[in-house]
Amino acid sequence: EVQLVESGGGLVQPGGSLRLSCAASGFNLRDYWMHWVRQVPGKGLIWVSRVNTDESFTTYADSVKGRFTISRDNAKNTVYMQMNSLTSEDAAVYYCVREQWTRQFDVWGHGTLVTVSS
Amino acid sequence: DVRLTQSPSSLSASAGDRVTITCRASQTVGTYLNWYQQKPGKAPKLLIHSASTLQIGVPSRFSGSGSGTDFTLTISGLQPEDFATFFCQQSYTSPYTFGLGTRLEIK
């Protein structure tokens, strides 16, 4: 079964850091660009970041640029998001997402909740 | 960034109805327009990609059309399991932006 499973979310204080992980199974991760999308519960979807197949190309939303770093380990079938200098505006459910070659997001993880509070 | 405007933001309908949701882009996105369905507490699910291509496994009552800046998602013969929130997304240019969503409720 094709699956993405996120982990690493939790409660963090403002200014703190978290590292999210996304474990892929059922497909060869090295063949796909991968993304992170976030969503405040009850609100809309916000694209956060993407990484190409070999990690040579990454892009970020302006709101996280310089604070978040996306990476991947194809040998471990895992994608990561290092999040630093977190603020309350970063609190959301974070989804790991697979992009197909025709540019749609066809596989989504279940999401991991990040809460930023003192 | 490309802004996507969905309308309506919410609508009420009954099982068996035909409903149409529109998505307008602030600039052309060709046919790089995708539709997702999200149920409470769940991740979004891809319904339609490339404006009109039905994702594998999605019922044929869902259809999409449009190109350039104007797109529609149509559900013909609503089923109880279809009540959810629907989002459009453009993947023509980075950042891949989403519409704010259309909440489809049972009348």
Side-chain angles (χ1 to χ4, degrees):
Chain A
E1 179 190 4
V2 172
Q3 198 172 8
L4 296 169
V5 178
E6 302 95 337
S7 60
L11 174 63
V12 62
Q13 292 187 338
S17 298
L18 275 179
R19 188 195 198 202
L20 306 183
S21 299
C22 168
S25 59
F27 69 99
N28 198 341
L29 183 68
R30 69 181 69 248
D31 292 336
Y32 296 90
W33 288 48
M34 298 296 294
H35 300 246
W36 288 94
V37 173
R38 69 185 182 185
Q39 183 178 39
V40 174
K43 302 296 184 182
L45 298 163
I46 305 295
W47 174 83
V48 175
S49 181
R50 67 177 175 178
V51 59
N52 70 342
T53 55
D54 64 2
E55 207 181 312
S56 61
F57 179 74
T58 59
T59 54
Y60 299 91
D62 287 345
S63 59
V64 307
K65 204 172 294 183
R67 300 187 299 120
F68 288 15
T69 303
I70 191 171
S71 62
R72 63 193 295 159
D73 185 335
N74 289 335
K76 294 183 177 179
N77 284 323
T78 304
V79 180
Y80 305 97
M81 176 64 79
Q82 177 67 42
M83 306 188 297
N84 299 330
S85 303
L86 287 161
T87 76
S88 58
E89 303 212 332
D90 298 315
V93 174
Y94 284 74
Y95 294 104
C96 175
V97 188
R98 184 179 86 170
E99 178 185 351
Q100 270 290 355
W101 69 274
T102 37
R103 303 198 202 171
Q104 68 272 23
F105 291 176
D106 69 330
V107 180
W108 294 66
H110 57 82
T112 187
L113 179 63
V114 172
T115 303
V116 183
S117 175
S118 55
Chain B
D1 297 0
V2 177
R3 186 173 62 255
L4 297 178
T5 303
Q6 283 185 239
S7 61
S9 56
S10 66
L11 77 155
S12 296
S14 301
D17 286 353
R18 180 175 185 267
V19 299
T20 298
I21 298 168
T22 66
C23 180
R24 174 164 289 177
S26 60
Q27 64 185 72
T28 184
V29 296
T31 57
Y32 288 100
L33 194 286
N34 311 306
W35 291 95
Y36 301 87
Q37 177 191 52
Q38 187 178 32
K39 297 181 179 179
K42 300 294 187 181
K45 171 189 172 184
L46 177 66
L47 297 176
I48 302 280
H49 70 86
S50 308
S52 61
T53 303
L54 196 65
Q55 174 68 359
I56 296 170
V58 173
S60 59
R61 61 181 179 272
F62 293 91
S63 63
S65 65
S67 66
T69 60
D70 294 299
F71 302 86
T72 61
L73 171 70
T74 299
I75 313 170
S76 301
L78 276 170
Q79 297 297 304
E81 62 267 28
D82 298 338
F83 292 92
T85 300
F86 296 85
F87 295 94
C88 59
Q89 177 212 26
Q90 66 82 20
S91 51
Y92 178 77
T93 186
S94 182
Y96 290 175
T97 45
F98 292 87
L100 293 181
T102 295
R103 185 175 178 182
L104 175 59
E105 299 175 318
I106 301 173
K107 187 181 290 183

